[in-house]
Amino acid sequence: PRGAARGIQRAARPNLLSHLQELGESVFQCQCRNLLNPAGRFAHSEMAAQSIYSSLEALSTPEATKLAWTRLGKTCEAEGAVLTKVRGGSYPRHATNGRLLTTGLHVWEYEFTSAAKANGNRTMYVGVAQEGLDVEKGGHSKSGKAWYLRTDNGTLYGSGVAEASDQTPVEKCFVVGDKIGVTLNLGDGSLAFSKNGVLLAGGFPAGRITGPVVGAVELLTVGQSLTLLKST
């Protein structure tokens, strides 16, 4: 039902197990109208939610590994873990990180390091994409080859979700200093996001993501930068 859609919300976690048991099989409310099942709930099972939280917690352990930027275009530069758009107009430009992902559950984080120099623009895109896309272009979600969260307002871009105009934006969804978590489950084809370690309601539910894929972002405006943190 279209009227049941709500914006991204953080899933409170004072006591995860009792919280999940209380809510039952449908744990999180959905962000986008076409992600609602007939009951109007987001189709994360209790087991899936616990698995995601365990993976998020694992990012803080010594076993978590650091990622590297693997492909980027001429308008961007990578200095260590920091990717910055340094030249060009306000057009999205694609970059990738980490290895090719074919199976399993994968979690990684970016830090929102800086907004645009000229006007503070916070519009960037983070998520996953097919391997080998053109790094001198952007907007790859339009062709069904990338699945993204837009950082400034939390809307989703990619096949299997509503048009952005039909989603409920969240003001200042991510700002400078926030950690943006990405949880990819290639076992069921889902993609979830977190803010500062807290899982967000909404995302791409099971069956939407088809591997193999890589971690991917698109930066829009000069001065914007993201820092790669750790992965599991």
Side-chain angles (χ1 to χ4, degrees), residues 83-84 111-116 121-122 124 176-177 223-226:
L83 176 74
T84 305
E111 180 186 75
F112 191 146
T113 307
S114 64
N121 188 302
R122 293 178 292 106
M124 295 181 282
V176 173
Q224 292 177 337
S225 64
L226 292 169

Side-chain angles (χ1 to χ4, degrees), residues 151-229:
T151 56
D152 61 326
N153 67 9
T155 51
L156 300 174
Y157 289 76
S159 59
V161 297
E163 292 294 325
S165 59
D166 290 329
Q167 299 177 36
T168 303
V170 177
E171 186 177 0
K172 296 183 178 179
C173 186
F174 289 93
V175 298
V176 173
D178 283 338
K179 292 181 180 179
I180 308 165
V182 181
T183 299
L184 170 67
N185 186 342
L186 286 171
D188 67 6
S190 64
L191 183 66
F193 300 93
S194 65
K195 179 176 181 178
N196 299 325
V198 179
L199 186 65
L200 297 176
F204 294 86
R208 298 302 195 271
I209 312 300
T210 302
V213 293
V214 292
V217 304
E218 293 186 10
L219 305 189
L220 181 67
T221 307
V222 170
Q224 292 177 337
S225 64
L226 292 169
T227 300
L228 275 168
L229 299 178

Side-chain angles (χ1 to χ4, degrees), residues 93-113:
R93 290 296 179 261
H94 180 71
T96 64
N97 59 265
R99 60 185 175 84
L100 185 66
L101 305 174
T102 58
T103 61
L105 180 66
H106 307 273
V107 181
W108 64 95
E109 282 186 315
Y110 307 97
E111 180 186 75
F112 191 146
T113 307

